[in-house]
Amino acid sequence: MANISLSSLDLGNPDSTSRRIATKVPMIIAFFWLTKIATTAMGEATSDALNGLPTGPALAIPLMLIGLVWALRRQFRRDHYDAWTYWTVVVMVAIFGTSAADALHVGLGIPYLDSTIFYAVVLAAVFLVWHRSEGTLSIHSINTKRREAFYWATVFATFALGTACGDMTATTLHIGYFGSGLMFIGLIAIPWLGHRYFGLNEVFAFWMAYVLTRPLGASFADWMAVEPSRGGLGIGAGGAALILTAVVVLLIRRLATTKMDVLVEDVDLEGESDADRLGRGRALGLDLG
């Protein structure tokens, strides 16, 4: 894997890593989770389709890496959250993260259980360094370039971990892709219920749910793609990728058009009356009353 340093992402001078910036991540609303799951499924199918081309991973993986670096550079250069820019990075992480996780198993012959443990350790290490550096893991604190870098490193680790975990349950544990998808639906309800009814820490609950969205989406993407003899619909990776890409584009377009996931202070409200601001705040899911 190429060494992507902070400087290669054009973060500017060293002081810029601690300079406060506008919020670069969306509000966490129900539509966020729907879009996140769709991107994970699309990333799984697209990665499999690209790796399945006659040129194979030798060409597909470098192209994925180029796309990921391009998307990250655009994201870091923006000074506020933009739905198309942000979700393009998520999509590219989903595609490249799938190949990174699969490479340990397919390329090096490492069992899915071992790769799952490896990426869990990687994720824990990223969390540890992030918390020691910034004192928080909350995504509501993503208002400096350095925290943004930690955020995307964490996102990448969650995608790789989720991919390995989903493949492990489907194949190693013989639960199957559809069965794994149903299992992860049940598991993803745990952090939501824990936070809502039992006081589970919201930061822990968020990242637990975030990790689980990956194997959830990937399991259903694989179920769509694989042949009926393996318990799937037989659409193929290419067909599943096209369908899921259309879904993702529609979801992102909806977010970009309505700005329902934009924090009200990040929206240009110049010239609007107090009533306009209140109306927009309600539309964004905020209680400004």
Side-chain angles (χ1 to χ4, degrees):
M1 184 183 301
N3 181 19
I4 306 175
S5 65
L6 294 184
S7 60
S8 71
L9 296 175
D10 194 24
L11 301 187
N13 59 60
D15 292 336
S16 70
T17 60
S18 59
R19 178 174 59 84
R20 292 182 65 83
I21 57 178
T23 304
K24 299 286 291 292
V25 297
M27 285 178 57
I28 308 305
I29 57 177
F31 217 83
F32 169 88
W33 295 111
L34 180 61
T35 308
K36 173 62 169 60
I37 293 170
T39 59
T40 66
M42 177 257 193
E44 175 77 16
T46 302
S47 176
D48 289 344
L50 291 174
N51 286 323
L53 293 174
T55 53
L59 178 61
I61 292 180
L63 289 177
M64 294 176 203
L65 182 57
I66 291 171
L68 174 59
V69 172
W70 170 80
L72 280 170
R73 287 177 67 88
R74 290 192 67 224
Q75 170 68 16
F76 274 97
R77 286 176 171 176
R78 297 197 70 91
D79 59 3
H80 63 279
Y81 166 72
D82 171 74
W84 285 109
T85 304
Y86 173 88
W87 287 106
T88 297
V89 180
V90 175
V91 165
M92 292 311 305
V93 172
I95 296 172
F96 186 75
T98 297
S99 292
D102 288 343
L104 292 183
H105 177 76
V106 178
L108 301 178
I110 297 176
Y112 283 127
L113 175 60
D114 294 346
S115 59
T116 298
I117 295 173
F118 170 76
Y119 283 119
V121 172
V122 170
L123 178 60
V126 174
F127 276 140
L128 179 62
V129 175
W130 182 1
H131 192 270
R132 284 188 173 180
S133 172
E134 305 300 316
T136 178
L137 300 177
S138 172
I139 68 163
H140 301 303
S141 70
I142 310 301
N143 54 13
T144 69
K145 293 290 187 181
R146 182 166 56 205
R147 290 181 179 181
E148 188 179 9
F150 278 123
Y151 173 78
W152 287 112
T154 304
V155 169
F156 182 84
T158 64
F159 270 86
L161 170 60
T163 299
C165 182
D167 287 333
M168 178 188 68
T169 61
T171 59
T172 305
L173 301 182
H174 304 293
I175 297 176
Y177 295 114
F178 187 74
S180 291
L182 295 178
M183 180 186 71
F184 286 115
I185 288 177
L187 289 176
I188 206 170
I190 294 176
W192 179 78
L193 293 171
H195 174 61
R196 184 174 180 87
Y197 297 107
F198 301 102
L200 182 65
N201 179 272
E202 70 171 348
V203 175
F204 179 84
F206 169 82
W207 285 114
M208 180 179 178
Y210 197 94
V211 170
L212 289 170
T213 59
R214 177 56 185 174
L216 170 58
S219 294
F220 281 114
D222 285 333
W223 170 68
M224 292 173 62
V226 300
E227 57 273 14
S229 62
R230 297 173 60 192
L233 297 180
I235 296 175
L242 290 175
I243 294 171
L244 292 167
T245 297
V247 171
V248 168
V249 169
L250 290 175
L251 291 172
I252 299 175
R253 184 177 183 275
R254 174 70 173 171
L255 290 172
T257 302
T258 64
K259 299 188 183 298
M260 67 175 74
D261 61 340
V262 179
L263 288 171
V264 70
E265 59 265 29
D266 291 337
V267 180
D268 183 7
L269 301 179
E270 184 178 354
E272 292 186 349
S273 66
D274 290 340
D276 290 333
R277 290 189 181 94
L278 183 59
R280 185 187 292 274
R282 285 174 178 163
L284 298 175
L286 300 176
D287 182 8
L288 304 182

